[in-house]
Amino acid sequence: MARLQLSTPDLRRTFRVAGRRAVDDFAGKVQRRARTLAPSRTGALRQSIRVRRTLTFRGPSSVVGTDLFYAPYVHDGTPPHVIRPRRARALRFTAGGRVVFAARVNHPGTKAVPFLDQALREVARREGWEYRRG
């Protein structure tokens, strides 16, 4: 799961804010900004970004994130890797208008799009807070 956990003690220490309402407000702003920054082919990733409020032993916290299985691959990127067929003898795809069959494909990897981290940094900066990775 790609997510950011925003807890009241952490936010107080990092941004010098007080109170549950401030955490909820901040998490909502991060969620809205992350939805704008997330890449969108079908819109599923953007729509899946949620805020979940929880209570932990450290106090109240909010988690901004998504449960889509591919979200970490989009957020963190992927290294170059080999794709092989699972249930067939060959992969079938279209390249240059032609149907191609291959026993394996060398995927070049994907570039990271850290939309959650970027949303957190931008919202913190806009609020006049300093973001330090803890």
Side-chain angles (χ1 to χ4, degrees), residues 3-132:
R3 68 181 184 174
L4 290 171
Q5 184 159 346
L6 308 170
S7 67
T8 304
D10 291 341
L11 284 178
R12 278 192 194 133
R13 189 170 41 255
T14 306
F15 302 122
R16 292 182 176 76
V17 289
R20 177 67 186 176
R21 184 168 288 169
V23 172
D24 289 345
D25 182 49
F26 186 77
K29 290 177 182 178
V30 171
Q31 176 195 24
R32 286 188 293 280
R33 186 62 185 140
R35 280 185 172 177
T36 358
L37 294 172
S40 177
R41 185 177 297 169
T42 65
L45 181 59
R46 287 183 175 181
Q47 289 304 310
S48 71
I49 299 172
R50 304 252 190 271
V51 175
R52 188 177 68 232
R53 289 157 183 81
T54 59
L55 184 61
T56 65
F57 69 93
R58 295 177 63 198
S61 73
S62 293
V63 176
V64 179
T66 173
D67 287 331
L68 284 180
F69 75 93
Y70 61 83
Y73 304 118
V74 173
H75 191 269
D76 302 329
T78 61
H81 57 279
V82 176
I83 300 175
R84 290 187 174 86
R86 288 187 180 177
R87 290 180 275 284
R89 293 192 317 186
L91 298 168
R92 179 186 187 269
F93 55 94
T94 306
R98 294 181 33 204
V99 176
V100 178
F101 293 92
R104 69 185 191 114
V105 174
N106 292 319
H107 191 283
T110 55
K111 187 176 177 184
V113 182
F115 56 94
L116 290 171
D117 289 341
Q118 186 177 348
L120 177 63
R121 276 190 245 102
E122 287 180 13
V123 171
R125 190 178 322 117
R126 191 169 51 225
E127 296 291 320
W129 301 333
E130 178 185 336
Y131 171 70
R132 290 181 306 221

